[in-house]
Amino acid sequence: VLDPIFIRYLAKIYNLSLSINSNIPEGSNSKSHSFEMAMKACLDNREVALKAGLTCRASMWLSLSALIPPPSIDPPSNHSQQQRIGIYSHMQHLSFSTETIASLLNELLEGGDSQHFVVACEILRSANYLEPVCNMSKFSMNQMRSAYLAYIKLLTQLELFSYANEIIKVSTDERLLSLFPKNDNFIVTKCGICFKEMEKSGSWCKNCSRCVSICALCNKPVRGLLHWCPVCAHGGHLECFRVWFQENHQIECPSGCGHQCCIPTATSKTSNSRVDTALSPSAIKRRRFMRNRSS
C-alpha cells in the first residue's frame, strides 16, 4: 500500500482519460479517438510513475498501453483466405489481451491498490474495453464497487474532493451512484485545532474546550459575523479584515500562513512594494498593523 503522500501526488497528476466523448474533433471516429486518448493516458501515467520512483507501476502502464487492442473494423462479408487468417490472428490477440488485463486488474484488487485499479478501469472504460475485461475477470461487481468506494473515501480523506467527484460523475454503476445523492448538499464543520467534527451551531469545540472562531488579527473570539477564507481556513472580525485588506491593501492572510486570500490588484502590489523585503511575511505585517491600530 502506497504512502498517502504518494497517493495524493498521483491522484492529482494521473490521467484518467475522463469525459473524452465531449472533446471529439469534428470528422474523427469516436472509437479511434477514444483509443488514442486511452493510449495517451497510459503513457502519461507511465511518466508520472517513473518520476515518483514507482518502476513497477510504470511497467504496468506500459504493458496496459500495449495490451489494449485498437478498435476493430468490420471486414466485408466475402472474406478471402488472407482476410480469414488476419481475423483469426486478431481474435487470438484480443483473447490474450483480455485475459492478461483481467489478471492485472485482479492482482491490483487483491493487493489492495484501489487507486491504480480505479484509474486503470477508467482508462479501459474510455477505450470501450472495460466490459469484456470484467466478463473474463475473477472479481465480482461487488468487489469492483468496493474498490471504487475505498478510493473515493481515500480521496475525500485527503481533501481531494474535485477528483473524487470526477470519478462519481462518469460512473455508470447505479448502486454506486445511489450512495452519493446529487441533489443533497451538506456541510461538515470541523475544529481547526483538534480537527474533530463540531455541532451544527456554535463556535465552541467540546472536544478540546476551545473557541474555534478566534480572530487571526486581534486574537479575540468572534461573536457574530465571521470573515473566513475557505482555502486556508483563517478568519476573524469583519472590521479587522476590512482594514487589513482594504485600507492597508494587503493580499496575504494576516495569520502568516502565506496564502493570498485576496486577488492582487495594482493598488495592493504598489503598497506591498513599499514594504522592506526582510519584513515581507504576513506575520510581521500583522504586528505592524496591530501596533498602528493601537496607537
Side-chain angles (χ1 to χ4, degrees):
V1 181
L2 293 177
D3 187 272
I5 297 177
F6 273 103
I7 295 175
R8 184 182 180 88
Y9 169 76
L10 296 176
K12 296 175 72 173
I13 303 181
Y14 262 166
N15 184 353
L16 273 71
S17 188
L18 300 176
S19 305
I20 62 172
N21 293 329
S22 59
N23 300 321
I24 300 176
E26 295 183 3
S28 62
N29 184 278
S30 60
K31 291 185 178 180
S32 300
H33 180 70
S34 300
F35 173 75
E36 292 174 1
M37 294 300 294
M39 292 297 100
K40 182 179 182 303
C42 289
L43 297 178
D44 289 347
N45 294 343
R46 175 179 177 268
E47 295 299 323
V48 172
L50 284 175
K51 290 180 180 179
L54 304 174
T55 55
C56 181
R57 293 296 178 251
S59 302
M60 182 204 74
W61 290 122
L62 185 62
S63 302
L64 195 63
S65 65
L67 289 170
I68 298 178
S72 58
I73 302 175
D74 297 330
S77 56
N78 51 343
H79 304 307
S80 63
Q81 180 68 20
Q82 186 176 2
Q83 286 175 332
R84 285 196 295 270
I85 294 174
I87 295 171
Y88 179 72
S89 301
H90 176 72
M91 291 177 63
Q92 281 187 321
H93 173 72
L94 195 65
S95 177
F96 171 77
S97 299
T98 308
E99 291 179 1
T100 308
I101 295 175
S103 176
L104 179 63
L105 291 180
N106 189 65
E107 182 180 343
L108 292 173
L109 195 61
E110 290 181 350
D113 193 348
S114 60
Q115 182 178 41
H116 285 88
F117 176 83
V118 171
V119 176
C121 285
E122 290 304 320
I123 292 176
L124 291 171
R125 189 197 305 277
S126 68
N128 302 312
Y129 199 58
L130 181 60
E131 185 175 352
V133 170
C134 289
N135 293 335
M136 194 171 288
S137 62
K138 296 180 180 179
F139 55 84
S140 63
M141 191 63 187
N142 288 333
Q143 290 177 303
M144 183 178 180
R145 187 179 298 115
S146 298
Y148 268 75
L149 284 173
Y151 186 49
I152 292 172
K153 182 179 180 181
L154 183 60
L155 291 176
T156 305
Q157 291 175 344
L158 295 174
E159 299 182 357
L160 299 174
F161 305 110
S162 59
Y163 298 93
N165 289 334
E166 285 182 3
I167 298 175
I168 298 172
K169 185 178 179 180
V170 299
S171 176
T172 57
D173 187 356
E174 294 296 333
R175 291 187 62 183
L176 180 66
L177 292 175
S178 64
L179 301 174
F180 306 97
K182 297 181 179 180
N183 297 327
D184 297 338
N185 298 322
F186 61 93
I187 299 175
V188 176
T189 305
K190 293 185 178 181
C191 174
I193 302 172
C194 65
F195 300 102
K196 297 293 183 180
E197 187 173 341
M198 296 175 55
E199 296 181 356
K200 293 183 179 180
S201 60
S203 59
W204 184 265
C205 178
K206 294 183 178 180
N207 184 66
C208 60
S209 300
R210 295 183 182 180
C211 181
V212 296
S213 57
I214 300 294
C215 181
L217 276 166
C218 65
N219 291 325
K220 294 180 180 179
V222 180
R223 295 179 177 86
L225 295 178
L226 171 73
H227 178 96
W228 175 71
C229 176
V231 179
C232 67
H234 294 120
H237 298 99
L238 290 177
E239 181 61 21
C240 291
F241 275 73
R242 186 192 66 79
V243 176
W244 174 262
F245 287 119
Q246 293 184 2
E247 296 186 9
N248 290 352
H249 308 293
Q250 302 293 338
I251 60 174
E252 290 187 359
C253 179
S255 67
C257 67
H259 177 252
Q260 292 186 354
C261 301
C262 290
I263 300 174
T265 60
T267 306
S268 62
K269 289 179 180 178
T270 305
S271 176
N272 286 337
S273 63
R274 292 197 295 264
V275 181
D276 186 25
T277 56
L279 303 176
S280 58
S282 296
I284 301 178
K285 292 179 185 178
R286 173 188 167 203
R287 288 198 292 268
R288 285 183 171 180
F289 170 78
M290 295 303 298
R291 186 169 59 250
N292 294 336
R293 214 181 163 194
S294 59
S295 60

